[in-house]
């Protein structure tokens, strides 16, 4: 059972999301709230599997609340799916940088919301490879390289190769075709990369690759 915390300052939208989620046999609403401060408090108290987070909320906005729940340095990060009315690239970037595992628009159909919750709950990121490619293309200059490099990573040469392809926005299928290996082998490599680097999803893998100078 996927336990979901719904955070939105508009009661009608909050109730709508809750109704859709509670109607699913594999989901339940663990709690609801209408502002960022309460979202952080409830998330830490209830430890839901996924937090559905609005961006624009009173007191503390959803991006800052996301950072407090899933950002760098959080001891026990909680998976956050950001859902907003505003299709602004800046919101997407800031949400993901704050630790969000996915980003959806409120006008997405219910099936897409449910798919997003299930995807994020499994530990995957809700961003198609082409979206990752687009974000990296626009914001790579903001991801400043650290002093690290290929020699500082625990990855094997093959895993580094796969990571570079992920950072360039290739899907598993495209990586398999590029390296002439099976799709299942690519999935195994991706899993190893995330585990070795203690990363949550592909988005964090992309950021890691840029920050460590593995791609430019």
């Amino acid at each position: 059972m996927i336990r979901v915390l719904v955070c939105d300052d508009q009661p009608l939208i909050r109730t709508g999301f809750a109704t859709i989620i509670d109607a699913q046999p594999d989901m339940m609403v663990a709690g609801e709230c209408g502002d960022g401060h309460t979202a952080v408090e409830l998330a830490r108290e209830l430890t839901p599997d996924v937090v559905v987070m609005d961006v624009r909320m009173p007191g503390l906005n959803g991006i800052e609340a996301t950072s407090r729940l899933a950002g760098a340095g959080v001891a026990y990060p909680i998976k956050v799916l950001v859902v907003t009315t505003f299709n602004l690239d800046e919101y997407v970037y800031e949400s993901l940088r704050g630790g969000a595992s996915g980003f959806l628009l409120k006008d997405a159909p219910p099936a897409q919301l449910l798919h997003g919750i299930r995807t994020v709950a499994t530990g995957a990121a809700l961003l198609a490879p082409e979206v990752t490619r687009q974000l990296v293309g626009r914001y790579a200059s903001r991801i400043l390289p650290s002093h690290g490099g290929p020699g500082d990573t625990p990855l094997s040469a093959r895993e580094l190769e796969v990571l570079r392809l992920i950072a360039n926005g290739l899907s598993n299928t495209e990586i398999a075709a590029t390296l002439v290996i099976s799709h299942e082998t690519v999935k195994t490599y991706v899993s190893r990369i995330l585990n070795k680097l203690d990363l949550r999803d592909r988005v964090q893998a992309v950021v890691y690759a840029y920050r460590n100078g593995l791609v430019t």
Side-chain angles (χ1 to χ4, degrees), residues 5-18 21 31-40 42 51-58 60-62 65 81-86 104-107 113:
L5 173 62
V6 180
C7 307
D8 195 293
D9 65 336
Q10 300 181 56
L12 283 177
I13 291 179
R14 195 165 65 240
T15 300
F17 283 173
I21 293 167
E32 301 178 35
C33 64
D35 67 88
H37 284 295
T38 306
V40 173
L42 279 180
V51 177
V52 174
M53 184 81 75
D54 187 21
V55 169
R56 291 188 175 179
M57 292 190 294
L60 186 72
N61 66 47
L81 174 62
V82 172
V83 184
T84 180
T85 307
F86 309 98
L104 285 177
L105 293 178
K106 287 183 181 176
D107 59 2
L113 170 66

Side-chain angles (χ1 to χ4, degrees), residues 1-215:
M1 184 67 71
I2 303 172
R3 301 172 64 253
V4 184
L5 173 62
V6 180
C7 307
D8 195 293
D9 65 336
Q10 300 181 56
L12 283 177
I13 291 179
R14 195 165 65 240
T15 300
F17 283 173
T19 301
I20 293 169
I21 293 167
D22 264 338
Q24 306 308 305
D26 60 337
M27 297 183 190
M28 65 172 289
V29 175
E32 301 178 35
C33 64
D35 67 88
H37 284 295
T38 306
V40 173
E41 292 173 1
L42 279 180
R44 290 173 176 169
E45 175 187 343
L46 301 173
T47 60
D49 298 300
V50 178
V51 177
V52 174
M53 184 81 75
D54 187 21
V55 169
R56 291 188 175 179
M57 292 190 294
L60 186 72
N61 66 47
I63 293 175
E64 179 58 31
T66 296
S67 181
R68 295 187 186 185
L69 293 175
V74 176
Y76 301 100
I78 296 175
K79 300 180 182 71
V80 178
L81 174 62
V82 172
V83 184
T84 180
T85 307
F86 309 98
N87 185 15
L88 299 179
D89 287 340
E90 190 70 19
Y91 283 162
V92 178
Y93 175 77
E94 293 297 337
S95 298
L96 296 175
R97 190 173 69 170
S101 294
F103 188 95
L104 285 177
L105 293 178
K106 287 183 181 176
D107 59 2
Q112 193 170 343
L113 170 66
L114 298 172
H115 170 70
I117 293 171
R118 293 186 178 103
T119 299
V120 169
T122 65
L126 189 67
L127 276 181
E130 59 270 19
V131 177
T132 303
R133 187 181 298 127
Q134 179 183 13
L135 284 174
V136 169
R138 293 186 183 183
Y139 297 109
S141 61
R142 301 187 187 188
I143 306 175
L144 300 177
S146 66
H147 296 296
D152 300 312
T153 176
L155 302 181
S156 67
R158 192 59 151 178
E159 289 163 350
L160 275 171
E161 194 173 9
V162 172
L163 176 59
R164 290 190 176 102
L165 294 176
I166 292 173
N168 281 302
L170 273 67
S171 67
N172 285 359
T173 300
E174 291 168 332
I175 294 173
T178 300
L179 300 180
V180 196
I181 56 179
S182 71
H183 189 272
E184 289 302 314
T185 300
V186 174
K187 289 176 64 177
T188 299
Y189 277 126
V190 172
S191 179
R192 287 179 185 171
I193 291 167
L194 298 181
N195 286 334
K196 283 187 176 182
L197 300 179
D198 194 26
L199 303 174
R200 187 179 58 244
D201 51 45
R202 296 173 77 100
V203 175
Q204 288 193 346
V206 171
V207 174
Y208 176 92
Y210 274 85
R211 281 183 173 162
N212 287 275
L214 303 178
V215 287

